[in-house]
Amino acid sequence: ETGVTQTPRHLVMGMTNKKSLKCEQHLGHNAMYWYKQSAKKPLELMFVYSLEERVENNSVPSRFSPECPNSSHLFLHLHTLQPEDSALYLCASSQQGLEGETQYFGPGTRLLVL
Amino acid sequence: KQEVTQIPAALSVPEGENLVLNCSFTDSAIYNLQWFRQDPGKGLTSLLLIQSSQREQTSGRLNASLDKSSGRSTLYIAASQPGDSATYLCAVGSGTASKLTFGTGTRLQVTL
């Protein structure tokens, strides 16, 4: 679990707030991912970064804004969220972002939007 | 569009039993399949990764098989223990490199 860390672990925010989720990986990987896990639904891929460039945006609303300043850090900036955005947000990393690689996951941030 | 289904959604077994979890996917053009474990409120732990050219992978009491042509995978857990209680997720790698499509999981409870 210490390979990929996420902060905060829990977050409660109002619909008008702005907050950020942080992910850090200590595995020397070059690719990082954001996933959303809602109750009773499969994990959904949101964004993929490889070598700090966004390579995938899975039709995510603009109220979610990712940032990858370097290969070890990934942020998800949140603004004007809706109650249906409440979910577990998981970060993952892999070696190069190529097919066939194992992805390593962080513990997640449990987000509640009121 | 790739879709992944896991059956059953929940399973309760007594300690010591062998059990099988099932995963099916609609598009057989995959490059790998991965089984994960998720404990309540926690992230995912990778258990086994099977490349598309492989038929099975083993790790300790776990054995995962892959039949790409029929779009199926199974995770076999031998001699189950209470510590195996968790949600088991199947994820298929296909399409864009590194993109995983997940099933909704099987929630396993192993009772004493």
Side-chain angles (χ1 to χ4, degrees):
Chain A
E1 191 172 306
T2 56
V4 181
T5 58
Q6 290 187 242
T7 54
R9 295 294 306 274
H10 301 273
L11 179 62
V12 180
M13 60 187 289
M15 289 190 284
T16 58
N17 291 158
K18 288 184 181 181
K19 296 286 184 184
S20 295
L21 310 185
K22 179 182 176 182
C23 175
E24 183 173 1
Q25 58 94 2
H26 312 274
L27 301 169
H29 290 167
N30 289 315
M32 297 186 76
Y33 312 76
W34 278 117
Y35 287 87
K36 175 183 178 181
Q37 187 177 34
S38 305
K40 310 289 187 186
K41 294 174 73 174
L43 264 84
E44 302 170 71
L45 178 66
M46 300 175 72
F47 300 104
V48 181
Y49 275 82
S50 179
L51 295 172
E52 300 139 50
E53 287 197 22
R54 191 189 311 179
V55 297
E56 180 105 10
N57 176 348
N58 216 25
S59 303
V60 179
S62 60
R63 57 186 184 270
F64 295 92
S65 175
E67 178 190 1
C68 188
N70 55 62
S71 59
S72 299
H73 293 85
L74 184 66
F75 294 89
L76 188 63
H77 303 299
L78 316 171
H79 62 99
T80 59
L81 294 193
Q82 305 298 312
E84 60 264 29
D85 296 322
S86 299
L88 181 67
Y89 288 84
L90 292 162
C91 173
S93 71
S94 69
Q95 196 77 36
Q96 301 291 344
L98 301 176
E99 59 187 52
E101 291 178 348
T102 299
Q103 294 184 21
Y104 296 84
F105 284 77
T109 295
R110 175 74 61 185
L111 173 66
L112 177 62
V113 181
L114 300 176
Chain B
K1 179 188 171 187
Q2 179 75 268
E3 292 183 4
V4 179
T5 304
Q6 290 186 248
I7 294 173
L11 180 64
S12 180
V13 300
E15 181 181 14
E17 272 204 10
N18 303 325
L19 58 104
V20 174
L21 307 181
N22 297 292
C23 172
S24 61
F25 46 94
T26 54
D27 184 352
S28 61
I30 67 170
Y31 46 80
N32 65 16
L33 184 143
Q34 200 163 354
W35 282 93
F36 292 88
R37 168 188 172 135
Q38 184 175 29
D39 293 283
K42 302 278 184 69
L44 277 62
T45 302
S46 179
L47 298 173
L48 290 164
L49 170 68
I50 311 177
Q51 302 292 354
S52 62
S53 58
Q54 298 174 319
R55 297 281 295 183
E56 64 178 343
Q57 282 286 341
T58 299
S59 176
R61 293 182 294 108
L62 305 179
N63 176 276
S65 68
L66 173 63
D67 184 343
K68 207 171 66 163
S69 60
S70 67
R72 294 177 190 276
S73 175
T74 60
L75 178 66
Y76 175 82
I77 302 177
S80 58
Q81 302 171 357
D84 295 330
S85 299
T87 296
Y88 290 81
L89 296 168
C90 167
V92 171
S94 61
T96 307
S98 77
K99 180 171 181 175
L100 293 178
T101 303
F102 282 82
T104 49
T106 294
R107 191 171 66 254
L108 172 66
Q109 183 172 15
V110 181
T111 58
L112 291 169

